[in-house]
Amino acid sequence: MEQYRTIKAHFDNDDWYFKTTDDLRYDFIDGKTGPYEFLLGALSGCFFSTVEDFIPEGVNYECADVVVKGKKRSEIPSTLAETIIEIEAKGVSDKKAFEEAVTKATECCSIFQTIKCVSAMSVEIRYRD
């Protein structure tokens, strides 16, 4: 049975941060790194990890850069209205298979599916060779 994923957060006049069960600390930096940066970062990691799950054996790529953009609603609750994932991949040996893996990730990535409940989602792929 899957165990809970757990973080412990601390907030006072000087520090806002959370720690993982491995005691890794992640700071909220006022005006620079807040909850939405962590959410979009989590989406990038979960999404690309899911892409990896669907890339067929023998299909290779040199690297991939992922940019995630989120636009919040102005009304309350100010959830994400639009979320864009931009993937720039270099040295992809089979672009069709890579694109199919990305499509499957949109269907199976848990954080993508969670955010999709409140936000319009899009994914763009560019190749750099």
mmCIF file with all atom_site columns, all heavy atoms in Angstrom, residues 5 9-11 26-27 29 48 51 61 68 73 90 98 106 113 118:
data_model
loop_
_atom_site.group_PDB
_atom_site.id
_atom_site.type_symbol
_atom_site.label_atom_id
_atom_site.label_alt_id
_atom_site.label_comp_id
_atom_site.label_asym_id
_atom_site.label_entity_id
_atom_site.label_seq_id
_atom_site.pdbx_PDB_ins_code
_atom_site.Cartn_x
_atom_site.Cartn_y
_atom_site.Cartn_z
_atom_site.occupancy
_atom_site.B_iso_or_equiv
_atom_site.pdbx_formal_charge
_atom_site.auth_seq_id
_atom_site.auth_comp_id
_atom_site.auth_asym_id
_atom_site.auth_atom_id
_atom_site.pdbx_PDB_model_num
ATOM 1   N N   . ARG A 1 5   ? 2.823   10.851 1.046   1.00 0.00 ? 5   ARG A N   1
ATOM 2   C CA  . ARG A 1 5   ? 3.965   11.740 0.830   1.00 0.00 ? 5   ARG A CA  1
ATOM 3   C C   . ARG A 1 5   ? 3.784   12.870 1.828   1.00 0.00 ? 5   ARG A C   1
ATOM 4   O O   . ARG A 1 5   ? 2.689   13.409 1.954   1.00 0.00 ? 5   ARG A O   1
ATOM 5   C CB  . ARG A 1 5   ? 3.965   12.299 -0.589  1.00 0.00 ? 5   ARG A CB  1
ATOM 6   C CG  . ARG A 1 5   ? 3.960   11.255 -1.679  1.00 0.00 ? 5   ARG A CG  1
ATOM 7   C CD  . ARG A 1 5   ? 5.384   10.822 -1.984  1.00 0.00 ? 5   ARG A CD  1
ATOM 8   N NE  . ARG A 1 5   ? 5.405   9.799  -2.999  1.00 0.00 ? 5   ARG A NE  1
ATOM 9   C CZ  . ARG A 1 5   ? 5.901   9.967  -4.211  1.00 0.00 ? 5   ARG A CZ  1
ATOM 10  N NH1 . ARG A 1 5   ? 6.429   11.111 -4.562  1.00 0.00 ? 5   ARG A NH1 1
ATOM 11  N NH2 . ARG A 1 5   ? 5.881   8.981  -5.069  1.00 0.00 ? 5   ARG A NH2 1
ATOM 12  N N   . ALA A 1 9   ? 5.958   22.014 7.091   1.00 0.00 ? 9   ALA A N   1
ATOM 13  C CA  . ALA A 1 9   ? 6.186   23.427 6.805   1.00 0.00 ? 9   ALA A CA  1
ATOM 14  C C   . ALA A 1 9   ? 6.315   24.219 8.102   1.00 0.00 ? 9   ALA A C   1
ATOM 15  O O   . ALA A 1 9   ? 5.726   23.861 9.129   1.00 0.00 ? 9   ALA A O   1
ATOM 16  C CB  . ALA A 1 9   ? 5.038   23.982 5.968   1.00 0.00 ? 9   ALA A CB  1
ATOM 17  N N   . HIS A 1 10  ? 7.092   25.308 8.018   1.00 0.00 ? 10  HIS A N   1
ATOM 18  C CA  . HIS A 1 10  ? 7.295   26.202 9.157   1.00 0.00 ? 10  HIS A CA  1
ATOM 19  C C   . HIS A 1 10  ? 7.128   27.642 8.680   1.00 0.00 ? 10  HIS A C   1
ATOM 20  O O   . HIS A 1 10  ? 7.662   28.022 7.637   1.00 0.00 ? 10  HIS A O   1
ATOM 21  C CB  . HIS A 1 10  ? 8.702   26.023 9.738   1.00 0.00 ? 10  HIS A CB  1
ATOM 22  C CG  . HIS A 1 10  ? 9.025   27.006 10.807  1.00 0.00 ? 10  HIS A CG  1
ATOM 23  N ND1 . HIS A 1 10  ? 8.643   26.815 12.115  1.00 0.00 ? 10  HIS A ND1 1
ATOM 24  C CD2 . HIS A 1 10  ? 9.655   28.203 10.769  1.00 0.00 ? 10  HIS A CD2 1
ATOM 25  C CE1 . HIS A 1 10  ? 9.040   27.850 12.833  1.00 0.00 ? 10  HIS A CE1 1
ATOM 26  N NE2 . HIS A 1 10  ? 9.654   28.708 12.042  1.00 0.00 ? 10  HIS A NE2 1
ATOM 27  N N   . PHE A 1 11  ? 6.409   28.435 9.459   1.00 0.00 ? 11  PHE A N   1
ATOM 28  C CA  . PHE A 1 11  ? 6.168   29.832 9.119   1.00 0.00 ? 11  PHE A CA  1
ATOM 29  C C   . PHE A 1 11  ? 6.346   30.691 10.367  1.00 0.00 ? 11  PHE A C   1
ATOM 30  O O   . PHE A 1 11  ? 5.713   30.438 11.392  1.00 0.00 ? 11  PHE A O   1
ATOM 31  C CB  . PHE A 1 11  ? 4.747   30.030 8.575   1.00 0.00 ? 11  PHE A CB  1
ATOM 32  C CG  . PHE A 1 11  ? 4.423   29.140 7.410   1.00 0.00 ? 11  PHE A CG  1
ATOM 33  C CD1 . PHE A 1 11  ? 3.762   27.940 7.598   1.00 0.00 ? 11  PHE A CD1 1
ATOM 34  C CD2 . PHE A 1 11  ? 4.799   29.491 6.127   1.00 0.00 ? 11  PHE A CD2 1
ATOM 35  C CE1 . PHE A 1 11  ? 3.462   27.106 6.528   1.00 0.00 ? 11  PHE A CE1 1
ATOM 36  C CE2 . PHE A 1 11  ? 4.507   28.665 5.046   1.00 0.00 ? 11  PHE A CE2 1
ATOM 37  C CZ  . PHE A 1 11  ? 3.846   27.477 5.248   1.00 0.00 ? 11  PHE A CZ  1
ATOM 38  N N   . TYR A 1 26  ? 13.188  23.594 1.488   1.00 0.00 ? 26  TYR A N   1
ATOM 39  C CA  . TYR A 1 26  ? 12.814  24.417 0.357   1.00 0.00 ? 26  TYR A CA  1
ATOM 40  C C   . TYR A 1 26  ? 12.183  25.703 0.889   1.00 0.00 ? 26  TYR A C   1
ATOM 41  O O   . TYR A 1 26  ? 11.171  25.663 1.582   1.00 0.00 ? 26  TYR A O   1
ATOM 42  C CB  . TYR A 1 26  ? 11.835  23.679 -0.556  1.00 0.00 ? 26  TYR A CB  1
ATOM 43  C CG  . TYR A 1 26  ? 12.459  22.433 -1.123  1.00 0.00 ? 26  TYR A CG  1
ATOM 44  C CD1 . TYR A 1 26  ? 12.348  21.211 -0.461  1.00 0.00 ? 26  TYR A CD1 1
ATOM 45  C CD2 . TYR A 1 26  ? 13.193  22.485 -2.299  1.00 0.00 ? 26  TYR A CD2 1
ATOM 46  C CE1 . TYR A 1 26  ? 12.949  20.069 -0.971  1.00 0.00 ? 26  TYR A CE1 1
ATOM 47  C CE2 . TYR A 1 26  ? 13.797  21.350 -2.812  1.00 0.00 ? 26  TYR A CE2 1
ATOM 48  C CZ  . TYR A 1 26  ? 13.673  20.147 -2.144  1.00 0.00 ? 26  TYR A CZ  1
ATOM 49  O OH  . TYR A 1 26  ? 14.273  19.023 -2.650  1.00 0.00 ? 26  TYR A OH  1
ATOM 50  N N   . ASP A 1 27  ? 12.804  26.828 0.568   1.00 0.00 ? 27  ASP A N   1
ATOM 51  C CA  . ASP A 1 27  ? 12.371  28.114 1.108   1.00 0.00 ? 27  ASP A CA  1
ATOM 52  C C   . ASP A 1 27  ? 11.391  28.820 0.192   1.00 0.00 ? 27  ASP A C   1
ATOM 53  O O   . ASP A 1 27  ? 11.576  28.848 -1.026  1.00 0.00 ? 27  ASP A O   1
ATOM 54  C CB  . ASP A 1 27  ? 13.586  29.031 1.305   1.00 0.00 ? 27  ASP A CB  1
ATOM 55  C CG  . ASP A 1 27  ? 14.489  28.553 2.418   1.00 0.00 ? 27  ASP A CG  1
ATOM 56  O OD1 . ASP A 1 27  ? 14.035  28.535 3.576   1.00 0.00 ? 27  ASP A OD1 1
ATOM 57  O OD2 . ASP A 1 27  ? 15.654  28.198 2.135   1.00 0.00 ? 27  ASP A OD2 1
ATOM 58  N N   . ILE A 1 29  ? 10.510  32.311 -0.875  1.00 0.00 ? 29  ILE A N   1
ATOM 59  C CA  . ILE A 1 29  ? 11.206  33.592 -0.863  1.00 0.00 ? 29  ILE A CA  1
ATOM 60  C C   . ILE A 1 29  ? 10.231  34.634 -1.380  1.00 0.00 ? 29  ILE A C   1
ATOM 61  O O   . ILE A 1 29  ? 9.840   34.606 -2.551  1.00 0.00 ? 29  ILE A O   1
ATOM 62  C CB  . ILE A 1 29  ? 12.493  33.536 -1.717  1.00 0.00 ? 29  ILE A CB  1
ATOM 63  C CG1 . ILE A 1 29  ? 13.418  32.449 -1.169  1.00 0.00 ? 29  ILE A CG1 1
ATOM 64  C CG2 . ILE A 1 29  ? 13.179  34.896 -1.734  1.00 0.00 ? 29  ILE A CG2 1
ATOM 65  C CD1 . ILE A 1 29  ? 14.608  32.139 -2.055  1.00 0.00 ? 29  ILE A CD1 1
ATOM 66  N N   . PHE A 1 48  ? 7.514   15.186 -16.957 1.00 0.00 ? 48  PHE A N   1
ATOM 67  C CA  . PHE A 1 48  ? 8.593   14.594 -17.737 1.00 0.00 ? 48  PHE A CA  1
ATOM 68  C C   . PHE A 1 48  ? 8.928   13.182 -17.265 1.00 0.00 ? 48  PHE A C   1
ATOM 69  O O   . PHE A 1 48  ? 9.284   12.327 -18.070 1.00 0.00 ? 48  PHE A O   1
ATOM 70  C CB  . PHE A 1 48  ? 9.841   15.472 -17.772 1.00 0.00 ? 48  PHE A CB  1
ATOM 71  C CG  . PHE A 1 48  ? 10.700  15.113 -18.954 1.00 0.00 ? 48  PHE A CG  1
ATOM 72  C CD1 . PHE A 1 48  ? 10.341  15.537 -20.221 1.00 0.00 ? 48  PHE A CD1 1
ATOM 73  C CD2 . PHE A 1 48  ? 11.799  14.296 -18.808 1.00 0.00 ? 48  PHE A CD2 1
ATOM 74  C CE1 . PHE A 1 48  ? 11.077  15.155 -21.340 1.00 0.00 ? 48  PHE A CE1 1
ATOM 75  C CE2 . PHE A 1 48  ? 12.549  13.922 -19.912 1.00 0.00 ? 48  PHE A CE2 1
ATOM 76  C CZ  . PHE A 1 48  ? 12.190  14.350 -21.178 1.00 0.00 ? 48  PHE A CZ  1
ATOM 77  N N   . VAL A 1 51  ? 6.501   11.187 -19.132 1.00 0.00 ? 51  VAL A N   1
ATOM 78  C CA  . VAL A 1 51  ? 6.949   11.057 -20.532 1.00 0.00 ? 51  VAL A CA  1
ATOM 79  C C   . VAL A 1 51  ? 7.977   9.928  -20.620 1.00 0.00 ? 51  VAL A C   1
ATOM 80  O O   . VAL A 1 51  ? 7.884   9.052  -21.483 1.00 0.00 ? 51  VAL A O   1
ATOM 81  C CB  . VAL A 1 51  ? 7.545   12.380 -21.062 1.00 0.00 ? 51  VAL A CB  1
ATOM 82  C CG1 . VAL A 1 51  ? 8.236   12.171 -22.412 1.00 0.00 ? 51  VAL A CG1 1
ATOM 83  C CG2 . VAL A 1 51  ? 6.470   13.455 -21.192 1.00 0.00 ? 51  VAL A CG2 1
ATOM 84  N N   . TYR A 1 61  ? 17.186  10.569 -26.577 1.00 0.00 ? 61  TYR A N   1
ATOM 85  C CA  . TYR A 1 61  ? 17.259  12.015 -26.732 1.00 0.00 ? 61  TYR A CA  1
ATOM 86  C C   . TYR A 1 61  ? 18.470  12.482 -25.937 1.00 0.00 ? 61  TYR A C   1
ATOM 87  O O   . TYR A 1 61  ? 18.880  11.860 -24.965 1.00 0.00 ? 61  TYR A O   1
ATOM 88  C CB  . TYR A 1 61  ? 15.979  12.710 -26.262 1.00 0.00 ? 61  TYR A CB  1
ATOM 89  C CG  . TYR A 1 61  ? 15.684  12.512 -24.798 1.00 0.00 ? 61  TYR A CG  1
ATOM 90  C CD1 . TYR A 1 61  ? 16.134  13.425 -23.848 1.00 0.00 ? 61  TYR A CD1 1
ATOM 91  C CD2 . TYR A 1 61  ? 14.982  11.396 -24.355 1.00 0.00 ? 61  TYR A CD2 1
ATOM 92  C CE1 . TYR A 1 61  ? 15.893  13.235 -22.505 1.00 0.00 ? 61  TYR A CE1 1
ATOM 93  C CE2 . TYR A 1 61  ? 14.732  11.199 -23.018 1.00 0.00 ? 61  TYR A CE2 1
ATOM 94  C CZ  . TYR A 1 61  ? 15.188  12.120 -22.097 1.00 0.00 ? 61  TYR A CZ  1
ATOM 95  O OH  . TYR A 1 61  ? 14.949  11.916 -20.758 1.00 0.00 ? 61  TYR A OH  1
ATOM 96  N N   . VAL A 1 68  ? 7.385   25.693 -17.784 1.00 0.00 ? 68  VAL A N   1
ATOM 97  C CA  . VAL A 1 68  ? 5.964   25.634 -17.438 1.00 0.00 ? 68  VAL A CA  1
ATOM 98  C C   . VAL A 1 68  ? 5.517   27.035 -17.056 1.00 0.00 ? 68  VAL A C   1
ATOM 99  O O   . VAL A 1 68  ? 6.131   27.690 -16.215 1.00 0.00 ? 68  VAL A O   1
ATOM 100 C CB  . VAL A 1 68  ? 5.695   24.654 -16.283 1.00 0.00 ? 68  VAL A CB  1
ATOM 101 C CG1 . VAL A 1 68  ? 4.205   24.591 -15.978 1.00 0.00 ? 68  VAL A CG1 1
ATOM 102 C CG2 . VAL A 1 68  ? 6.220   23.258 -16.614 1.00 0.00 ? 68  VAL A CG2 1
ATOM 103 N N   . ARG A 1 73  ? -6.173  33.122 -12.260 1.00 0.00 ? 73  ARG A N   1
ATOM 104 C CA  . ARG A 1 73  ? -7.398  33.909 -12.375 1.00 0.00 ? 73  ARG A CA  1
ATOM 105 C C   . ARG A 1 73  ? -7.313  35.088 -11.408 1.00 0.00 ? 73  ARG A C   1
ATOM 106 O O   . ARG A 1 73  ? -6.683  35.000 -10.357 1.00 0.00 ? 73  ARG A O   1
ATOM 107 C CB  . ARG A 1 73  ? -8.609  33.061 -11.990 1.00 0.00 ? 73  ARG A CB  1
ATOM 108 C CG  . ARG A 1 73  ? -8.975  32.013 -12.985 1.00 0.00 ? 73  ARG A CG  1
ATOM 109 C CD  . ARG A 1 73  ? -10.205 31.210 -12.503 1.00 0.00 ? 73  ARG A CD  1
ATOM 110 N NE  . ARG A 1 73  ? -10.647 30.330 -13.549 1.00 0.00 ? 73  ARG A NE  1
ATOM 111 C CZ  . ARG A 1 73  ? -10.063 29.170 -13.871 1.00 0.00 ? 73  ARG A CZ  1
ATOM 112 N NH1 . ARG A 1 73  ? -9.001  28.775 -13.202 1.00 0.00 ? 73  ARG A NH1 1
ATOM 113 N NH2 . ARG A 1 73  ? -10.525 28.434 -14.854 1.00 0.00 ? 73  ARG A NH2 1
ATOM 114 N N   . LYS A 1 90  ? 16.374  17.976 -27.601 1.00 0.00 ? 90  LYS A N   1
ATOM 115 C CA  . LYS A 1 90  ? 17.525  17.958 -28.499 1.00 0.00 ? 90  LYS A CA  1
ATOM 116 C C   . LYS A 1 90  ? 17.952  16.509 -28.735 1.00 0.00 ? 90  LYS A C   1
ATOM 117 O O   . LYS A 1 90  ? 17.989  15.700 -27.809 1.00 0.00 ? 90  LYS A O   1
ATOM 118 C CB  . LYS A 1 90  ? 18.683  18.739 -27.876 1.00 0.00 ? 90  LYS A CB  1
ATOM 119 C CG  . LYS A 1 90  ? 19.916  18.790 -28.749 1.00 0.00 ? 90  LYS A CG  1
ATOM 120 C CD  . LYS A 1 90  ? 21.011  19.618 -28.103 1.00 0.00 ? 90  LYS A CD  1
ATOM 121 C CE  . LYS A 1 90  ? 22.243  19.624 -28.997 1.00 0.00 ? 90  LYS A CE  1
ATOM 122 N NZ  . LYS A 1 90  ? 23.352  20.349 -28.379 1.00 0.00 ? 90  LYS A NZ  1
ATOM 123 N N   . PHE A 1 98  ? 8.477   10.080 -29.554 1.00 0.00 ? 98  PHE A N   1
ATOM 124 C CA  . PHE A 1 98  ? 8.600   11.060 -28.472 1.00 0.00 ? 98  PHE A CA  1
ATOM 125 C C   . PHE A 1 98  ? 7.278   11.806 -28.300 1.00 0.00 ? 98  PHE A C   1
ATOM 126 O O   . PHE A 1 98  ? 6.787   11.977 -27.182 1.00 0.00 ? 98  PHE A O   1
ATOM 127 C CB  . PHE A 1 98  ? 9.747   12.028 -28.776 1.00 0.00 ? 98  PHE A CB  1
ATOM 128 C CG  . PHE A 1 98  ? 10.071  12.969 -27.651 1.00 0.00 ? 98  PHE A CG  1
ATOM 129 C CD1 . PHE A 1 98  ? 10.912  12.576 -26.625 1.00 0.00 ? 98  PHE A CD1 1
ATOM 130 C CD2 . PHE A 1 98  ? 9.545   14.250 -27.630 1.00 0.00 ? 98  PHE A CD2 1
ATOM 131 C CE1 . PHE A 1 98  ? 11.209  13.440 -25.576 1.00 0.00 ? 98  PHE A CE1 1
ATOM 132 C CE2 . PHE A 1 98  ? 9.840   15.128 -26.596 1.00 0.00 ? 98  PHE A CE2 1
ATOM 133 C CZ  . PHE A 1 98  ? 10.679  14.726 -25.570 1.00 0.00 ? 98  PHE A CZ  1
ATOM 134 N N   . THR A 1 106 ? 0.070   13.400 -21.045 1.00 0.00 ? 106 THR A N   1
ATOM 135 C CA  . THR A 1 106 ? -1.045  14.310 -20.755 1.00 0.00 ? 106 THR A CA  1
ATOM 136 C C   . THR A 1 106 ? -2.244  13.546 -20.195 1.00 0.00 ? 106 THR A C   1
ATOM 137 O O   . THR A 1 106 ? -3.052  14.107 -19.471 1.00 0.00 ? 106 THR A O   1
ATOM 138 C CB  . THR A 1 106 ? -1.498  15.109 -22.000 1.00 0.00 ? 106 THR A CB  1
ATOM 139 O OG1 . THR A 1 106 ? -2.029  14.222 -22.979 1.00 0.00 ? 106 THR A OG1 1
ATOM 140 C CG2 . THR A 1 106 ? -0.367  15.943 -22.577 1.00 0.00 ? 106 THR A CG2 1
ATOM 141 N N   . GLN A 1 113 ? -3.166  15.958 -14.464 1.00 0.00 ? 113 GLN A N   1
ATOM 142 C CA  . GLN A 1 113 ? -4.599  15.688 -14.359 1.00 0.00 ? 113 GLN A CA  1
ATOM 143 C C   . GLN A 1 113 ? -5.237  16.472 -13.214 1.00 0.00 ? 113 GLN A C   1
ATOM 144 O O   . GLN A 1 113 ? -6.380  16.915 -13.324 1.00 0.00 ? 113 GLN A O   1
ATOM 145 C CB  . GLN A 1 113 ? -4.858  14.185 -14.187 1.00 0.00 ? 113 GLN A CB  1
ATOM 146 C CG  . GLN A 1 113 ? -4.628  13.392 -15.446 1.00 0.00 ? 113 GLN A CG  1
ATOM 147 C CD  . GLN A 1 113 ? -5.572  13.809 -16.565 1.00 0.00 ? 113 GLN A CD  1
ATOM 148 O OE1 . GLN A 1 113 ? -6.767  13.987 -16.373 1.00 0.00 ? 113 GLN A OE1 1
ATOM 149 N NE2 . GLN A 1 113 ? -5.016  13.979 -17.765 1.00 0.00 ? 113 GLN A NE2 1
ATOM 150 N N   . VAL A 1 118 ? -8.862  22.543 -13.026 1.00 0.00 ? 118 VAL A N   1
ATOM 151 C CA  . VAL A 1 118 ? -9.173  23.971 -12.881 1.00 0.00 ? 118 VAL A CA  1
ATOM 152 C C   . VAL A 1 118 ? -8.581  24.839 -13.982 1.00 0.00 ? 118 VAL A C   1
ATOM 153 O O   . VAL A 1 118 ? -8.869  26.032 -14.047 1.00 0.00 ? 118 VAL A O   1
ATOM 154 C CB  . VAL A 1 118 ? -8.684  24.517 -11.515 1.00 0.00 ? 118 VAL A CB  1
ATOM 155 C CG1 . VAL A 1 118 ? -9.420  23.837 -10.370 1.00 0.00 ? 118 VAL A CG1 1
ATOM 156 C CG2 . VAL A 1 118 ? -7.185  24.397 -11.366 1.00 0.00 ? 118 VAL A CG2 1
#
